[in-house]
Coordinates of all heavy atoms in Angstrom, one line a residue:
V138 N 107.9 105.4 93.0 CA 106.8 104.8 93.8 C 106.4 105.6 95.0 O 105.2 105.8 95.3 CB 107.2 103.4 94.2 CG1 106.2 102.7 95.1 CG2 107.5 102.5 93.0
M139 N 107.3 106.2 95.7 CA 107.0 107.1 96.8 C 106.2 108.3 96.3 O 105.2 108.6 96.9 CB 108.3 107.7 97.4 CG 109.0 106.6 98.3 SD 110.5 107.4 98.9 CE 110.6 106.8 100.5
Q140 N 106.6 108.9 95.2 CA 105.8 110.0 94.7 C 104.3 109.6 94.3 O 103.4 110.3 94.7 CB 106.4 110.6 93.4 CG 107.7 111.4 93.7 CD 108.5 111.8 92.5 OE1 108.1 112.7 91.8 NE2 109.5 111.0 92.1
H141 N 104.2 108.4 93.7 CA 102.9 107.9 93.4 C 102.1 107.7 94.7 O 100.9 108.2 94.8 CB 103.0 106.6 92.6 CG 101.7 106.0 92.3 ND1 101.2 106.0 91.0 CD2 100.8 105.3 93.0 CE1 100.0 105.4 91.0 NE2 99.8 104.9 92.2
E142 N 102.6 107.0 95.6 CA 101.9 106.7 96.9 C 101.6 108.0 97.7 O 100.5 108.1 98.2 CB 102.6 105.7 97.7 CG 102.7 104.3 97.1 CD 101.4 103.7 96.6 OE1 100.3 103.9 97.3 OE2 101.3 103.1 95.5
F143 N 102.6 108.8 97.8 CA 102.4 110.0 98.6 C 101.5 111.0 98.0 O 100.9 111.9 98.7 CB 103.8 110.6 99.0 CG 104.7 109.7 99.7 CD1 106.0 110.0 99.9 CD2 104.3 108.5 100.3 CE1 106.9 109.2 100.6 CE2 105.1 107.6 100.9 CZ 106.5 107.9 101.1
D144 N 101.4 111.0 96.7 CA 100.3 111.8 96.0 C 99.0 111.5 96.6 O 98.2 112.4 96.8 CB 100.3 111.5 94.5 CG 101.2 112.4 93.6 OD1 101.8 113.3 94.2 OD2 101.3 112.1 92.4
H145 N 98.7 110.2 96.8 CA 97.4 109.8 97.4 C 97.2 110.5 98.7 O 96.0 110.9 99.0 CB 97.3 108.3 97.7 CG 97.1 107.5 96.4 ND1 96.0 107.6 95.7 CD2 97.9 106.5 95.8 CE1 96.0 106.7 94.7 NE2 97.2 106.1 94.7
L146 N 98.2 110.8 99.5 CA 98.1 111.4 100.8 C 97.8 112.9 100.7 O 97.4 113.5 101.6 CB 99.3 111.2 101.6 CG 99.8 109.7 101.8 CD1 101.0 109.6 102.6 CD2 98.6 108.9 102.4
D147 N 98.0 113.5 99.5 CA 97.7 114.9 99.2 C 96.5 115.0 98.3 O 96.3 116.1 97.8 CB 99.0 115.5 98.6 CG 100.1 115.6 99.5 OD1 99.9 115.9 100.7 OD2 101.3 115.4 99.1
G148 N 95.8 114.0 98.1 CA 94.5 114.0 97.4 C 94.7 114.0 95.8 O 93.9 114.4 95.1
H149 N 95.9 113.5 95.4 CA 96.2 113.5 94.0 C 96.3 112.0 93.5 O 96.5 111.1 94.3 CB 97.5 114.2 93.7 CG 97.6 115.6 94.1 ND1 96.7 116.6 93.6 CD2 98.3 116.2 95.1 CE1 97.0 117.7 94.2 NE2 97.9 117.6 95.1
M150 N 96.2 111.8 92.2 CA 96.4 110.5 91.6 C 97.3 110.7 90.4 O 97.4 111.8 89.9 CB 95.0 109.9 91.2 CG 94.1 109.8 92.4 SD 92.4 109.2 92.0 CE 92.8 107.4 92.1
F151 N 97.8 109.6 89.9 CA 98.8 109.7 88.8 C 98.2 110.3 87.6 O 98.9 110.9 86.8 CB 99.4 108.3 88.5 CG 98.6 107.4 87.7 CD1 98.7 107.4 86.3 CD2 97.8 106.4 88.2 CE1 98.0 106.5 85.5 CE2 97.1 105.5 87.5 CZ 97.2 105.6 86.1
I152 N 96.9 110.2 87.4 CA 96.2 110.7 86.2 C 96.3 112.3 86.2 O 96.1 112.9 85.2 CB 94.8 110.2 86.0 CG1 93.9 110.5 87.3 CG2 94.8 108.8 85.6 CD1 92.5 110.2 87.1
D153 N 96.5 112.9 87.4 CA 96.6 114.3 87.5 C 97.9 114.8 86.8 O 98.1 116.0 86.6 CB 96.6 114.7 89.0 CG 95.3 114.4 89.7 OD1 94.3 114.2 89.0 OD2 95.3 114.3 90.9
H154 N 98.8 113.9 86.6 CA 100.1 114.2 86.0 C 100.2 114.0 84.5 O 101.3 114.1 83.9 CB 101.3 113.5 86.7 CG 101.4 113.7 88.1 ND1 101.9 114.9 88.6 CD2 101.0 113.0 89.2 CE1 101.9 114.9 90.0 NE2 101.3 113.7 90.3
I155 N 99.1 113.6 83.9 CA 99.1 113.4 82.4 C 98.6 114.6 81.7 O 97.9 115.5 82.3 CB 98.4 112.1 82.0 CG1 96.9 112.2 82.4 CG2 99.0 110.9 82.7 CD1 96.0 111.0 82.0
S156 N 98.8 114.6 80.4 CA 98.4 115.8 79.6 C 96.9 115.9 79.5 O 96.2 114.9 79.6 CB 99.0 115.7 78.2 OG 98.3 114.7 77.5
P157 N 96.4 117.1 79.3 CA 94.9 117.2 79.1 C 94.4 116.4 77.9 O 93.3 115.8 78.0 CB 94.8 118.7 78.8 CG 95.9 119.4 79.4 CD 97.0 118.4 79.3
L158 N 95.2 116.2 76.9 CA 94.8 115.3 75.8 C 94.7 113.9 76.2 O 93.6 113.3 76.0 CB 95.8 115.5 74.6 CG 95.5 114.5 73.5 CD1 94.2 114.8 72.8 CD2 96.6 114.6 72.4
R159 N 95.7 113.4 76.9 CA 95.6 112.0 77.4 C 94.4 111.8 78.4 O 93.7 110.8 78.4 CB 96.9 111.6 78.2 CG 98.1 111.3 77.3 CD 97.9 110.2 76.2 NE 97.3 109.0 76.8 CZ 96.7 108.1 76.0 NH1 96.6 108.3 74.7 NH2 96.2 107.0 76.6
R160 N 94.2 112.8 79.2 CA 93.0 112.8 80.2 C 91.7 112.7 79.4 O 90.8 112.0 79.8 CB 93.1 114.0 81.1 CG 92.1 114.1 82.1 CD 92.5 113.3 83.4 NE 91.5 113.4 84.3 CZ 91.6 113.8 85.6 NH1 92.8 114.1 86.0 NH2 90.6 113.8 86.4
Q161 N 91.6 113.5 78.3 CA 90.4 113.5 77.5 C 90.2 112.1 76.9 O 89.1 111.6 76.8 CB 90.5 114.5 76.4 CG 89.2 114.7 75.6 CD 88.0 115.2 76.4 OE1 88.2 115.9 77.4 NE2 86.8 114.8 76.0
L162 N 91.3 111.4 76.5 CA 91.3 110.2 75.8 C 90.8 109.0 76.8 O 90.3 108.0 76.3 CB 92.6 109.8 75.1 CG 92.9 110.7 73.9 CD1 94.4 110.4 73.5 CD2 91.9 110.4 72.8
I163 N 91.0 109.2 78.1 CA 90.6 108.2 79.0 C 89.4 108.5 79.8 O 89.0 107.9 80.7 CB 91.8 107.8 80.0 CG1 92.1 109.0 80.9 CG2 93.0 107.2 79.3 CD1 93.0 108.6 82.1
K164 N 88.7 109.6 79.4 CA 87.5 110.1 80.1 C 86.5 109.1 80.2 O 85.9 108.9 81.3 CB 87.0 111.4 79.3 CG 85.8 112.0 80.0 CD 85.5 113.3 79.4 CE 84.6 113.0 78.2 NZ 84.0 114.2 77.6
N165 N 86.2 108.3 79.2 CA 85.2 107.3 79.2 C 85.6 106.1 80.2 O 84.7 105.6 80.9 CB 84.9 106.7 77.8 CG 84.1 107.7 77.0 OD1 83.5 108.6 77.5 ND2 84.2 107.6 75.7
K166 N 86.9 105.8 80.3 CA 87.3 104.8 81.2 C 87.1 105.2 82.6 O 86.7 104.5 83.5 CB 88.8 104.4 81.0 CG 89.1 103.6 79.7 CD 90.6 103.4 79.6 CE 90.9 102.6 78.4 NZ 92.3 102.3 78.3
L167 N 87.4 106.5 82.9 CA 87.2 107.1 84.2 C 85.8 107.1 84.6 O 85.4 106.8 85.7 CB 87.8 108.5 84.3 CG 89.3 108.6 84.2 CD1 89.8 110.0 84.1 CD2 90.0 107.9 85.3
K168 N 84.9 107.5 83.6 CA 83.5 107.5 83.9 C 83.0 106.1 84.2 O 82.1 106.0 85.1 CB 82.7 108.1 82.7 CG 81.3 108.3 82.9 CD 80.6 108.9 81.6 CE 79.1 109.0 81.9 NZ 78.4 109.6 80.7
A169 N 83.5 105.1 83.5 CA 83.1 103.7 83.8 C 83.4 103.3 85.2 O 82.7 102.6 85.9 CB 83.7 102.8 82.8
L170 N 84.6 103.8 85.7 CA 85.0 103.5 87.0 C 84.0 104.1 88.0 O 83.6 103.4 89.0 CB 86.4 104.0 87.3 CG 87.6 103.3 86.6 CD1 88.9 104.0 87.0 CD2 87.6 101.8 87.0
T171 N 83.6 105.3 87.8 CA 82.7 105.9 88.8 C 81.3 105.3 88.7 O 80.5 105.5 89.7 CB 82.6 107.5 88.5 OG1 82.0 107.7 87.2 CG2 83.9 108.2 88.6
Q172 N 81.0 104.6 87.6 CA 79.7 104.0 87.5 C 79.8 102.5 87.9 O 78.8 101.8 87.8 CB 79.2 104.1 86.1 CG 78.9 105.5 85.7 CD 78.6 105.7 84.2 OE1 78.9 104.8 83.4 NE2 78.0 106.8 83.9
G173 N 81.0 102.0 88.4 CA 81.1 100.7 88.8 C 81.2 99.7 87.7 O 81.1 98.5 87.9
R174 N 81.6 100.2 86.5 CA 81.8 99.3 85.4 C 83.2 99.0 85.1 O 83.9 99.7 84.4 CB 81.1 99.9 84.1 CG 79.6 100.0 84.2 CD 79.0 100.5 82.9 NE 79.3 101.9 82.6 CZ 80.0 102.3 81.6 NH1 80.4 101.5 80.7 NH2 80.3 103.6 81.4
Y175 N 83.7 98.0 85.8 CA 85.1 97.6 85.7 C 85.2 96.2 86.3 O 84.4 95.7 87.0 CB 86.0 98.5 86.5 CG 85.7 98.6 88.0 CD1 86.4 97.7 88.9 CD2 84.8 99.5 88.5 CE1 86.1 97.7 90.2 CE2 84.6 99.6 89.8 CZ 85.2 98.7 90.7 OH 84.9 98.7 92.0
R176 N 86.4 95.5 86.0 CA 86.7 94.2 86.5 C 88.1 94.2 87.1 O 89.0 94.8 86.5 CB 86.6 93.2 85.4 CG 85.2 92.9 85.0 CD 85.2 91.7 84.1 NE 83.9 91.6 83.4 CZ 83.7 90.8 82.5 NH1 84.6 90.0 81.9 NH2 82.5 90.8 81.9
C177 N 88.3 93.6 88.2 CA 89.6 93.4 88.7 C 89.5 92.2 89.7 O 88.5 91.8 90.1 CB 90.2 94.7 89.4 SG 89.2 95.3 90.7
G178 N 90.7 91.7 90.0 CA 90.8 90.5 90.8 C 91.0 90.7 92.3 O 91.4 89.8 93.0
Y179 N 90.6 91.8 92.8 CA 90.6 92.1 94.2 C 89.4 92.8 94.7 O 88.6 93.3 93.9 CB 91.9 92.9 94.6 CG 92.2 94.1 93.7 CD1 91.6 95.3 94.0 CD2 93.0 94.0 92.6 CE1 91.9 96.4 93.2 CE2 93.2 95.1 91.8 CZ 92.6 96.3 92.1 OH 92.9 97.4 91.3
R180 N 89.2 92.8 96.0 CA 88.0 93.4 96.6 C 88.1 94.9 96.4 O 89.1 95.6 96.6 CB 88.0 93.2 98.1 CG 87.0 92.1 98.5 CD 87.0 91.9 100.0 NE 86.1 92.8 100.6 CZ 86.1 93.2 101.9 NH1 87.0 92.7 102.7 NH2 85.2 94.0 102.4
T181 N 86.9 95.5 96.0 CA 86.9 97.0 95.8 C 85.7 97.6 96.5 O 84.7 96.9 96.9 CB 86.9 97.3 94.3 OG1 85.7 96.8 93.7 CG2 88.1 96.8 93.6

Side-chain angles (χ1 to χ4, degrees):
V138 175
M139 286 175 140
Q140 288 172 80
H141 178 107
E142 294 308 322
F143 301 168
D144 268 357
H145 282 297
L146 306 179
D147 291 323
H149 302 296
M150 302 179 86
F151 82 88
I152 55 171
D153 299 337
H154 298 286
I155 63 176
S156 72
L158 175 61
R159 286 301 313 157
R160 183 83 183 236
Q161 186 64 31
L162 291 171
I163 64 168
K164 186 172 84 172
N165 288 337
K166 289 180 180 180
L167 294 173
K168 184 177 180 182
L170 291 176
T171 64
Q172 295 173 342
R174 294 185 292 117
Y175 61 88
R176 289 187 193 171
C177 60
Y179 46 88
R180 256 182 90 199
T181 63

